[in-house]
Amino acid sequence: MSASSAFNDEKGGSSSVGEPEYGHDPASGGIFSSDYKRHDDLKEMLDSNKDSLKLEAMKRIVAMVARGKNASDLFPAVVKNVACKNIEVKKLVYVYLVRYAEEQQDLALLSISTFQRGLKDPNQLIRASALRVLSSIRVTIIVPIMMLAIKEAASDMSPYVRKTAAHAIPKLYSLDPEQKDQLIEVIEKLLADKTTLVAGSVVMAFEEVCPERIDLIHKNYRKLCNLLIDVEEWGQVVIINMLTRYARTQFLNPNINESLLEEGGEKTFYGSEEDEDEDDEDKDKKAEVATMAKRKPYVMDPDHRLLLRNTKPLLQSRNAAVVMAVAQLYFHLAPKAEVGVIAKALVRLLRSHSEVQYVVLQNVATMTIKRRGMFEPYLKSFYIRSTDPTQIKVLKLEVLTNLANETNISTILREFQTYIKSMDKDFVAATIQAIGRCATNIGEVRDTCLNGLVQLLSNRDELVVAESVVVIKKLLQMQPEKHSDIIKHMAKLIDNIQVPMARASILWLIGEYCEHVPKISPDVLRKMAKSFTNEEDIVKLQIINLAAKLYLTNSKQTKLLTQYVLNLAKYDQNYDIRDRARFIRQLIVPTEKSGALSKYAKKLFLALKPAPVLESPFKDRDHFQLGSLSHLLNAKAGGYQELPDWPEAAPDPSVRNVEVKESVPEWTKCSSREKRKEKKVEKPFYSDSEGESGPTESADSESDSANGSESVSGSEVSGSGSESEESEEGSESEEEEEEEDEEKDKKKKKKELKKKPVQESESEQSSEEEEEERKHERKSKPRKSDSETESGDEEESESESSQSESDESESEAEVKKKKKAAQSKPPAKPVKTDGKKEKKEMSLLDLDDFEPAPSPQVTPVNSFLSSSLVTDLEGLSLSDSVLSPATIAPSSALKSYELLHRITGEGLSVEYCFSRQPFSPDANMVAVQIQFTNNATSDTKNLHMEDVKLQSGMRVKEFPEIELLPAGETTTAVMGIDFCDSTQAANFQLCTHTRKFFVSIQPPVGELMRPIFLTENEFKKEQGQLMGMNEITERLTLDVKCRNEHTIVQRVTTAANLSRVPCGSDKECSPPVPPPPPDHPVHRFAGRTVTSSSLVLVTVATKEEGAAQLTVNCEKMVIGTMLVKDILQALTQ
Amino acid sequence: MIHSLFLVNASGDIFLEKHWKSVVSRSVCDYFFEAQERATEPENVPPVIPTPHHYLISVLRHRIFFVAVIQSEVPPLFVIEFLHRVVDTFQDYFGVCTEAAIKDNVVVVYELLEEMLDNGFPLATESNILKELIKPPTILRTMVNTITGSTNVGEQLPTGQLSVVPWRRTGVKYTNNEAYFDVVEEIDAIIDKSGSTITAEIQGVIDACVKLTGMPDLTLSFMNPRLLDDVSFHPCVRFKRWEAERILSFIPPDGNFRLLSYHVSSQNLVAIPVYVKHNITFREGSSQGRFDLTLGPKQTMGKAVEAVLVSSQLPRGVLNANLNASQGTYTFDPVTKMLSWDVGKINPQKLPSLKGTMSLQAGASKPDENPTINIQLKIQQMAISGLKVNRLDMYGEKYKPFKGIKYMTKAGKFQVRT
């Protein structure tokens, strides 16, 4: 079949694609040389230098690959084009390469260098695609290269590249499982990633590589819960499934007390619970508590609650897989009272494609066994239509049967009656079985069912009759004594029923229960004896059985009849019947020769046969995680992770606590969507569950409407009047709330100051001793912030403080680590480790106890630097050696940019400049000094910022609110922005008590770095490491005015926040390099990017007559390129 | 996750294969063919088939089986949902998703599949993103491409995937800015012999066709949002806003998309727009059966019932039907025994009817089942649940868009048992 199919296939394919000359499969063609010829012109096309020809050839080749034909002999010709400039050719080459690389490993290696180059490309999409293809080539020899590439990509600044890295992890793992340990490290790193783009993919990698390392999840648990709603739908499925397993290991069974109480009494439980409002959590909790009063009270872990709360909205997803994932999560994790919410969503899925219905119904069938009440209101949704495919019908039937109870059985049976008339006989048979099960489960309807089934015995369809008889037989076996009249009825039926199977079943029944129908049975045997010769074989066998049984119980009446039947059987054509007759005669008729067995004949024939049990095939399937493949097949599939049992005692919840502070992505929220979701996450989601107050809601709506008008450029709010009113209202109420929270916080702070210092970032002028003390505290006891995490409200109000707190603790830790490292490690280090080390070094600069003074600094821009330097120096008490690079920073006037013009700002003008000071709350942020001038006649109040919109990965530390700016006054404030080493603008709203202005801050590339101190030697060494791709060189002619050393240095340092490398200071150390001639000096500048601490090295080598060469070495190629442009401009203008 | 994909046509030929991990031999499909043979109808092929080393998960759309090969545990719905998304994408790209269309565009298909999955895990499934990566073929573009040798692949690399609104393409520009919304409701009902309703529910969707420049932010509010009982959203809809205010607030994707699907709460009584008077009888011993069907409008709120199509699967014993339609045309397929009657518009003054006799196989006994009647219909300008859109507002852009809302009611799975 497959051969012919391949042939047809080819024909069809070739005619449509239009390449009849390639229409033969090499295997069927057989002649290899012709094969060569056939591909010759393709090779020619690939070798040509016309892209269109190459493209045409690649298209044909891909068409061959698609049809499953072997195109591997073209590999050398194709692989040559891997570096082709044309994107489509390149893509198709990639497609080909991934398909055949495994078979042609040696040749595939030729392409590797192209991808390695691609990995360094400034365009993130090219980096990502290079990694994708590189990791898809299943060639074992490049495992180390892949490993390196993955590690590098995992710390790429583009989240898209990091996502690709996450995808690459399972690829590498399947290629070489020995890399597991290293890969786990990468996974751990990526799990800590805060972007939604990465989350789904890394959890996927986690599931494939190390699903047993549940400990890696702890510190990311809350982050994952919070990000969940923003992750793309496929990632959501994977994360939810993983979190289900996680929760099973970490939390207590929410139904633990109930399951003890209920102990098999589920039916009553559900009956009574039906009326209760399922959504009303509070009420249910109370009820729960009441029932458990005697036992150990169960309190749900707040993290458990968080998971349930954050997954619930996903029931509204359009993706059936997501809905199913949430449904199984609720089924496995939620308290019984809350599971009900999933029913509606699952029923909705029944509207989808039949494959979806099939899977959903399987799961619903399992659920209905355990939790029948949940689906009872939706009974009618499972009614069967004649147009449903049979497999769907059978599953619906299963669900209906499971749902049947005393109250609804009559409607269900009425439905079943229609089904029995269906044309689909398989379905009818299933219906009869279903009726049988209903009859066994519900005592009241047993008789009705039996009667109905008995009527079916007259059905013409053999299958129906057989099925009915079988079911009746089973039903009668349960309580035969009650149903002698049915047996009598069936005995009468035997005159009419022609279906042999049914006749046989009836005879078996009469024989089995001949004691209940003592008068009829001999008569039936008499009739049967008469028609014996005309019966079918199975009927004959049953006649013999009946005769034997009657002989044993009632030999007086039936002895002769039995003899007669046995004699007839003795000469039957069928050997089975002859054998049976001989055997039975020996067994039951006592002769002198008969063996020991005849004594036991009665026991043998009339032994009590156990009644067959009618139960659902879906019983006990729920030990498989619902929604999984294993559940569907009712067999463990490869790679299935068992759903663990609930732990007896909850493991320490603090494993999630401690680090979660750090990973709550407080400032990373950037997009409008994320912003929105952040609100969702941080505020209690369901007002009913948490008692959310009005103001928060209106605040939220405000943010939404603000989002709406966000992209209106400039500063005027063009939305309708009502909208802006609304937003003002919103912002006010939010402020109020914040104030309240602050107050609350302060009170709390007083209370807890000794035990657990919680600090508002505004009032963070703590002394060093306090700092020390705090450190102690933290070390001595693990932070157990029960009160902090128990309610969402509090968490929210404290999030700000906790963020800064954790930042501090982080940097503290770094300081300490650094100190250790500094002691143990020699100062010179290779580049790789250097990156990290340097970062730590930088964090030394920003001391915890130095904060930008929150009180409005009433200093004009020009004088700011000096004043801030003073504060800077006041705050610093470190050794000068470390500090020196910072102080080398240029002291030239800072360029200020306009943020808000006086006119658009209605009197308020705002300017900002990059102060080039380390931003102490977060070393990775660029400090931006903002100067507000109130030119209006009235006071401006409550200046603050809101609704920050950022590219992903970027973060902002807002400036403290300025309560009052009197008319004519000027004030400054400092905010921090982590631009993530990109020049993307940070957009936000500047709000006063009356107005909002949309503003954005875009950094020149030179501000994305901070100066570092390097000696000339170190500089050269580092420069040597950053050659090739990372080096950009430009020739230029210096501006006439700027040919002396001083102006060059000044212009460069103005353009970029770099520090000059003192030249000539260490000439002795570098004898091989002769010092440049004094009239053509070389100027060197060094810095690091703020976020990723990548080195930025700038060299300006002057030559005769103003000619110069500018060299920039930087790992970040984008930054390098932009920096070259900026410096070039600065030097030539 | 998904290892390989095979496309199998109605005659059982594999006409396309794609592998995302190492190559799986196409002989694995033999298990699928076996299952296909066992199942009498194509739709009865089990969606999940275990084989010794792999699992086959398949969906059937447009008479093509999309068979995914997987090797280890994965939520089956995940794969099924993804395969359907693939089909939707093909349909979106080629207008139809037929074997011919796929074969004609095999390169685009391959490029799409390459972008949609990475290592078997979905990568880009939003049609807006995909269209940025790979331009859909149009007649004009195909011609231009053949002449100039240019390509279908986007010139510059798209940034949409990285944007803050991952479902919307960037840099959208239109000269006419329009936003159309279709509220389409379907009635699912089972009517029993006597004409009483056994079960009836309304499922609705709002399909949107939005062609707006820039990054518009839309809000859509309803007069009576309480009607909506259960909803599922396109990912662009802000859930929180809906929870709080029952307003749909969203930045739409570009082009056609399904904004919302909903279920009208079952407490509301569902108006049944048509009634059927039927008399279908078979007499014992006679080789004739009577067929008598009359349709009439019931609760239509004054609107005309259009595009009525009645179909019924007659019992196997029926050889032929000799009927007389007062309106429209009827066909009877003696092989599949499918009777269908294209009624058209129902005129309340002159009710359409279909009357006549059916001839049965000689000697065959009376069929013990009566056929069910499936009805399709359309009612324009009305949502049967009474749902009404209150207003549509746009923020974020300055131009005035052209807005339009259309209502329609259809019969979904509307069956009458006889």
Side-chain angles (χ1 to χ4, degrees), chain B residues 16 40 43 54 63 77 87 140 148 162 177 194-196 199 209 232 243 287 348 360 377 380 397 410:
Chain B
L16 188 124
T40 43
E43 63 261 32
H54 299 92
R63 294 162 52 78
L77 267 188
V87 181
L140 185 70
T148 61
L162 316 162
N177 289 296
S194 60
S196 57
T199 161
C209 175
S232 76
E243 277 287 277
S287 63
L360 300 175
L377 55 87
Q380 303 278 7
E397 295 289 338
K410 284 189 197 170

Side-chain angles (χ1 to χ4, degrees), chain A residues 7 192 243 289 451 513 684 782 943 978:
Chain A
F7 181 68
L243 287 180
V289 170
N451 286 334
Y513 303 115
L943 258 172
D978 179 357

Side-chain angles (χ1 to χ4, degrees), chain A residues 811-1062:
Chain A
S811 49
E812 262 170 36
E814 275 174 8
V815 170
K816 280 174 77 187
K817 260 190 246 163
K818 162 65 189 131
K819 275 178 186 162
K820 262 186 204 163
Q823 278 163 13
S824 58
K825 284 175 190 165
K829 292 242 85 188
V831 177
K832 277 276 148 68
T833 51
D834 229 355
K836 270 188 187 169
K837 199 191 115 197
E838 288 298 332
K839 190 177 173 188
K840 284 165 193 161
E841 209 158 46
M842 289 317 291
S843 67
L844 264 180
L845 289 175
D846 50 86
L847 291 172
D848 302 317
D849 50 356
F850 169 70
E851 277 280 316
S855 56
Q857 296 170 316
V858 193
T859 38
V861 177
N862 295 342
S863 64
F864 169 76
L865 184 75
S866 55
S867 77
S868 77
L869 256 180
V870 172
T871 23
D872 207 347
L873 290 169
E874 272 170 6
L876 293 171
S877 53
L878 267 182
S879 67
D880 285 345
S881 63
V882 190
L883 252 181
S884 52
T887 49
I888 292 171
S891 52
S892 55
L894 292 165
K895 194 176 170 194
S896 64
Y897 307 84
E898 185 165 79
L899 194 60
L900 191 61
H901 190 263
R902 182 161 53 85
I903 295 168
T904 44
E906 293 174 2
L908 179 73
S909 74
V910 184
E911 289 185 321
Y912 67 95
C913 66
F914 296 91
S915 63
R916 299 197 171 177
Q917 298 302 307
F919 188 67
S920 46
D922 189 328
N924 287 345
M925 287 188 176
V926 177
V928 182
Q929 189 198 5
I930 305 176
Q931 182 188 27
F932 305 91
T933 312
N934 189 355
N935 300 316
T937 46
S938 58
D939 295 357
T940 302
K941 288 175 204 154
N942 297 60
L943 258 172
H944 66 281
M945 56 189 279
E946 250 181 30
D947 202 16
V948 185
K949 290 194 182 59
L950 301 168
Q951 295 295 313
S952 66
M954 284 166 61
R955 298 173 301 141
V956 156
K957 176 93 172 82
E958 297 171 22
F959 61 82
E961 185 174 322
I962 295 166
E963 311 271 54
L964 179 71
L965 183 61
E969 293 282 318
T970 297
T971 184
T972 56
V974 179
M975 64 183 288
I977 306 177
D978 179 357
F979 286 104
C980 247
D981 290 354
S982 78
T983 51
Q984 303 276 17
N987 301 307
F988 56 91
Q989 286 182 22
L990 204 59
C991 305
T992 67
H993 63 299
T994 51
R995 288 294 310 266
K996 293 178 176 206
F997 307 104
F998 291 88
V999 293
S1000 74
I1001 293 182
Q1002 187 165 24
V1005 67
E1007 302 299 338
L1008 294 176
M1009 45 202 71
R1010 54 190 169 205
I1012 53 158
F1013 181 80
L1014 287 181
T1015 61
E1016 193 174 343
N1017 245 4
E1018 284 169 334
F1019 184 93
K1020 283 175 180 162
K1021 199 167 156 192
E1022 296 289 3
Q1023 197 175 25
Q1025 309 253 22
L1026 287 170
M1027 298 300 276
M1029 302 277 298
N1030 297 323
E1031 186 175 89
I1032 304 161
T1033 310
E1034 278 288 340
R1035 295 189 175 280
L1036 67 150
T1037 315
L1038 290 174
D1039 190 31
V1040 203
K1041 286 177 224 156
C1042 106
R1043 291 198 178 158
N1044 61 13
E1045 185 180 336
H1046 179 71
T1047 25
I1048 292 178
V1049 173
Q1050 201 196 349
R1051 288 201 183 185
V1052 172
T1053 49
T1054 313
N1057 190 8
L1058 300 169
S1059 74
R1060 189 172 174 203
V1061 174

Side-chain angles (χ1 to χ4, degrees), chain A residues 392-451:
Chain A
I392 301 291
K393 284 181 185 164
V394 172
L395 283 169
K396 279 187 174 173
L397 205 57
E398 175 68 37
V399 174
L400 286 175
T401 316
N402 290 344
L403 289 179
N405 62 14
E406 286 82 354
T407 48
N408 58 22
I409 184 67
S410 56
T411 37
I412 290 183
L413 280 181
R414 213 175 309 134
E415 266 299 294
F416 284 0
Q417 266 168 13
T418 10
Y419 302 162
I420 282 167
K421 289 185 200 148
S422 165
M423 289 177 233
D424 185 344
K425 293 304 168 205
D426 292 333
F427 169 53
V428 174
T431 309
I432 294 169
Q433 295 221 353
I435 294 174
R437 260 179 53 207
C438 287
T440 47
N441 295 340
I442 301 158
E444 288 110 79
V445 292
R446 197 165 293 155
D447 296 343
T448 335
C449 290
L450 258 179
N451 286 334

